[in-house]
Amino acid sequence: FSTTPVVERHQRQIAGDFSFKSQAPGVRTEYFAFEAFTRVRLEAGSYEFSALPDDGLQVFFDGKPVIDAWRPTPGDQQGRVEASAGVHEIRVRFMQTWGHTYLRFAFSRVR
């Protein structure tokens, strides 16, 4: 993103229904965006990412795009990556325009 963050914090999860609720002082209930990241230790294998955003969403795995749905109300989104064993970074960007605000996000190893 090209602006200075209004809020920076540690959070255990990013999914949920945020409709009409400010997420922190200084954060609007509409027309906002956030970026979250984590580092996870994974076994080697295929991993599937799934998301249901309202509105736009981008997901990156070690800096490479997995899901690119940076537009209002894109619907269900999926992406898949091949991971080596070790520590990897997952980065999620979310934007909200107006109305209801929710995000469902998960990833799992595909057998």
Side-chain angles (χ1 to χ4, degrees):
F1 296 124
S2 62
T3 61
T4 302
V6 174
V7 176
E8 290 184 2
R9 67 181 177 201
H10 296 277
Q11 195 162 317
R12 294 191 55 81
Q13 70 175 9
I14 59 169
D17 184 339
F18 316 116
S19 297
F20 312 111
K21 297 176 271 190
S22 175
Q23 297 305 296
V27 176
R28 299 171 53 162
T29 59
E30 296 181 327
Y31 300 99
F32 69 89
F34 71 72
E35 181 176 57
F37 70 93
T38 189
R39 290 180 185 86
V40 293
R41 182 172 301 281
L42 300 175
E43 297 177 3
S46 292
Y47 289 82
E48 183 171 88
F49 291 79
S50 62
L52 178 60
D54 176 62
D55 289 308
L57 177 82
Q58 294 176 313
V59 178
F60 299 87
F61 183 82
D62 289 340
K64 297 176 184 146
V66 177
I67 296 173
D68 189 4
W70 202 246
R71 61 191 179 280
T73 317
D76 283 316
Q77 301 292 313
Q78 287 83 35
R80 190 176 279 201
V81 299
E82 292 296 323
S84 60
V87 177
H88 299 275
E89 182 183 86
I90 299 169
R91 185 171 297 267
V92 175
R93 292 179 177 165
F94 173 81
M95 76 159 164
Q96 167 60 18
T97 54
W98 59 274
H100 291 280
T101 308
Y102 56 85
L103 172 61
R104 186 183 77 215
F105 175 76
F107 73 96
S108 61
R109 188 166 184 223
V110 180
R111 298 269 169 196

